[in-house]
Amino acid sequence: KEMYRNGTGAAAVVNEKGRMIGFLTEKQILQKLAAQDGTPSAPMTAWDAMIVRPETLHDSVDIKEALDIITAHGYRYMPVIKSKEPEKLAGIAGERELFLYAHERAQRLLESKDTLLYYFMHHEPYGTGYSPV
C-alpha cells in the first residue's frame, strides 16, 4: 500500500538503525502472489517478498555506468547505497530516470558541440586570401 500511495515500483526495507536489509519491487510482490495462486494464506509482509542482499549501486558511480549496470542485470530499479556508509541507503535508481538523464546529458553535449562548430565556421576569415600586413 505504501508503494502504491507513493507512486513507486520499488522500496527499500530498512532496520531500526536505517540499514538496508532488503529491497522490494512490484515484480517480487506479484511473483509471491502468483506462487500462492493470488490468494495469500496469511497477510503478506515486506519481509515475505523482499530481495535479501540485493545488488546495489554506489552513490559515487557515474550515471552512464549506473545505466550500464542496471541494464546488464535487466532490473528496473536498484537501491543506491552511500559509498562511505555501505549499508546506508542513499536512494533508489530507476532505469527510466537514469536513461532520461543520460539522454538529456548527451543532448546538451551535442548542442554545445554544434554551437562551438557553428562559432568557428562563421568567425574564421576563410576566403579572404593571404594578406601580409
Side-chain angles (χ1 to χ4, degrees), residues 25-75:
T25 66
E26 291 171 324
K27 180 180 177 182
Q28 293 303 119
I29 294 169
L30 291 173
Q31 286 178 340
K32 185 70 173 180
L33 284 173
Q36 298 175 0
D37 295 325
T39 54
S41 55
M44 186 171 33
T45 66
W47 185 267
D48 296 326
M50 74 179 190
I51 302 164
V52 180
R53 290 187 286 295
E55 296 190 52
T56 60
L57 296 169
H58 288 271
D59 61 358
S60 61
V61 73
D62 178 69
I63 294 293
K64 179 168 178 347
E65 186 179 349
L67 185 57
D68 289 345
I69 292 168
I70 199 169
T71 303
H73 289 297
Y75 299 143

Side-chain angles (χ1 to χ4, degrees), residues 96-125:
R96 183 172 187 266
E97 287 77 16
L98 289 172
F99 172 77
L100 291 173
Y101 182 85
H103 179 71
E104 181 182 311
R105 192 161 85 175
Q107 285 297 114
R108 284 194 315 264
L109 180 61
L110 283 174
E111 288 169 6
S112 69
K113 285 182 179 181
D114 286 346
T115 301
L116 194 58
L117 183 61
Y118 178 83
Y119 173 81
F120 283 115
M121 289 184 72
H122 291 89
H123 288 86
E124 292 291 319

